[in-house]
Amino acid sequence: MSAQQQTERVVGDGSSTGGGGESTATVLVALGANLLVAIAKGVAAVITGSASMAAETAHSFADTINQVFLLTALKGSKKPADRSHPFGYGRVRYFWALLAAVSIFVTGALYSAYEGVTALLSEEHEVVSPVVNYVVLGVAFLLEGFSLLKGYRQTRSEAAEHGQSLRQFLRTSDDPTATTVVFEDSAALIGLVLAAAGTAVHQATGQSWGDGIASIAIAVLLAAVALRLGRANKRLLTDVQADPRLVRSVLVHLGDEPEVDAVVDLLTLTLGTDQVLVCARLDLADDLSASDVERAMVRIAAGLEETFLEVVEVFLEPVPRQDEVVRERVRSRYGDRLAQYMVDEAGS
């Protein structure tokens, strides 16, 4: 198998990864864990009066709301294409994932900061029965750890099928569900450690600053996670080009077609998770008849969808490579060097 074929196989098999069922299971596990943990933390916060435990309660309730958002995203993105959405509803998933990031900041980070500042400014703040905190935090650590393990396994599997490291996949993935669970649950485990540390400092010193600082630290952690997820979903909503590896493989694949003299222009659009639209302008061999061109267009489009499983829509247009209007449009997007590279690479 050639290096090009290996690249095509890795990138093209993306639509078989994870799947809606696996993502749904991951989100459901996280939802159940977060709801149970939120209730337990809330009871502990009332009993002990701990600001950090109140912050963690808000954290878990925010995560629970987020899982509902993600389930809505999974369901909504599976709706079939219709007249108002001819390319389907795949990008709906990114909208709800963005709301999940906003929820983390508003419900979790801001409330945690409020609890921390209140604890620091209050002279009467006291944590009673700290053992209750430790028990709840320990159980929560087990539940959150199980949820994280589920999300981590799915994400690692998807990363391997895309031919990427886990870090690369988390940075570039077009599936926000499992990656959101991984970031949320990782933050949850860190938050539990911070809450336990704050309780321990308060218990050891008898001063409220330990509990208050822990709550503020949790707020900073949640704000950082919200920012990270928000930026990721902004990219998915606005940076619409497909994975560059897929784009290059499609470019080379088109250039290898016998009827194609050169690829004049290539556009890709991410329609949703593992759903890509490809638009290409091709300079075809001059000796092709009109019927030859028609058959070639149909065969090339079918070949793209068969080779690259992420490609769900293909639009091809025959144009002469010397057409200055088309060439200027390509140069305006890619620059002279890359525009010429497309012709040379795909036409060689």
Side-chain angles (χ1 to χ4, degrees):
M1 180 181 295
S2 68
Q4 171 194 337
Q5 291 172 321
Q6 290 175 344
T7 301
E8 291 176 356
R9 169 171 291 186
V10 169
V11 178
D13 283 352
S15 61
S16 63
T17 65
E22 185 69 14
S23 293
T24 301
T26 298
V27 175
L28 284 172
V29 169
L31 173 61
N34 285 322
L35 182 58
L36 291 174
V37 168
I39 294 172
K41 288 178 180 177
V43 173
V46 172
I47 293 174
T48 64
S50 169
S52 58
M53 187 59 77
E56 276 297 294
T57 302
H59 181 178
S60 291
F61 271 117
D63 286 351
T64 302
I65 294 172
N66 291 345
Q67 308 317 317
V68 176
F69 285 156
L70 294 180
L71 287 175
T72 303
L74 288 170
K75 182 178 180 180
S77 64
K78 293 178 183 177
K79 293 173 61 177
D82 54 32
R83 184 167 60 181
S84 62
H85 293 78
F87 296 117
Y89 289 79
R91 295 175 71 82
V92 168
R93 185 178 300 198
Y94 305 149
F95 168 75
W96 287 104
L98 180 61
L99 285 188
V102 174
S103 173
I104 292 176
F105 181 77
V106 174
T107 308
L110 293 183
Y111 182 78
S112 298
Y114 167 78
E115 285 288 341
V117 171
T118 300
L120 289 175
L121 297 179
S122 175
E123 298 179 356
E124 300 178 356
H125 179 72
E126 184 65 36
V127 177
V128 298
S129 304
V131 174
V132 174
N133 274 3
Y134 296 135
V135 171
V136 170
L137 291 172
V139 173
F141 197 91
L142 293 177
L143 291 174
E144 296 283 10
F146 175 76
S147 176
L148 175 61
L149 183 61
K150 172 68 176 174
Y152 172 78
R153 285 176 174 172
Q154 179 192 342
T155 305
R156 185 179 60 180
S157 175
E158 292 185 14
E161 291 182 12
H162 279 81
Q164 296 179 297
S165 68
L166 180 62
R167 183 176 181 180
Q168 289 174 320
F169 185 75
L170 288 173
R171 188 176 67 251
T172 63
S173 173
D174 61 1
D175 182 3
T177 49
T179 53
T180 297
V181 170
V182 169
F183 280 114
E184 283 185 350
D185 288 342
S186 297
L189 293 179
I190 298 173
L192 293 172
V193 173
L194 291 173
T199 301
V201 170
H202 186 94
Q203 184 180 12
T205 64
Q207 302 296 318
S208 61
W209 60 265
D211 192 39
I213 289 178
S215 185
I216 292 176
I218 292 170
V220 173
L221 171 68
L222 293 179
V225 171
L227 178 62
R228 172 64 178 80
L229 294 177
R231 290 178 60 186
N233 286 288
K234 172 184 175 294
R235 173 182 62 81
L236 293 171
L237 284 168
T238 59
D239 296 350
V240 294
Q241 179 177 262
D243 186 323
R245 296 176 306 151
L246 175 64
V247 175
R248 175 175 171 78
S249 294
V250 168
L251 175 65
V252 175
H253 178 91
L254 289 171
D256 287 341
E257 295 290 350
E259 300 90 347
V260 177
D261 282 347
V263 178
V264 180
D265 195 6
L266 178 61
L267 303 173
T268 60
L269 176 67
T270 300
L271 302 176
T273 300
D274 293 327
Q275 298 177 17
V276 174
L277 177 148
V278 172
C279 301
R281 294 186 173 98
L282 308 175
D283 182 16
L284 302 179
D286 294 334
D287 58 351
L288 296 178
S289 66
S291 59
D292 290 336
V293 171
E294 291 174 348
R295 286 192 293 269
M297 295 293 98
V298 172
R299 185 187 62 78
I300 293 172
L304 281 176
E305 294 182 4
E306 180 180 354
T307 304
F308 305 98
L309 301 183
E310 289 178 278
V311 176
V312 295
E313 293 282 355
V314 178
F315 295 93
L316 303 176
E317 178 185 6
V319 298
R321 77 176 78 178
Q322 296 84 6
D323 189 301
E324 282 304 316
V325 174
V326 174
R327 296 303 303 153
E328 181 58 33
R329 188 178 302 172
V330 175
R331 282 192 291 267
S332 68
R333 282 197 300 268
Y334 304 116
D336 291 338
R337 184 175 180 181
L338 183 54
Q340 187 59 45
Y341 168 81
M342 290 174 60
V343 174
D344 295 341
E345 178 72 12
S348 58

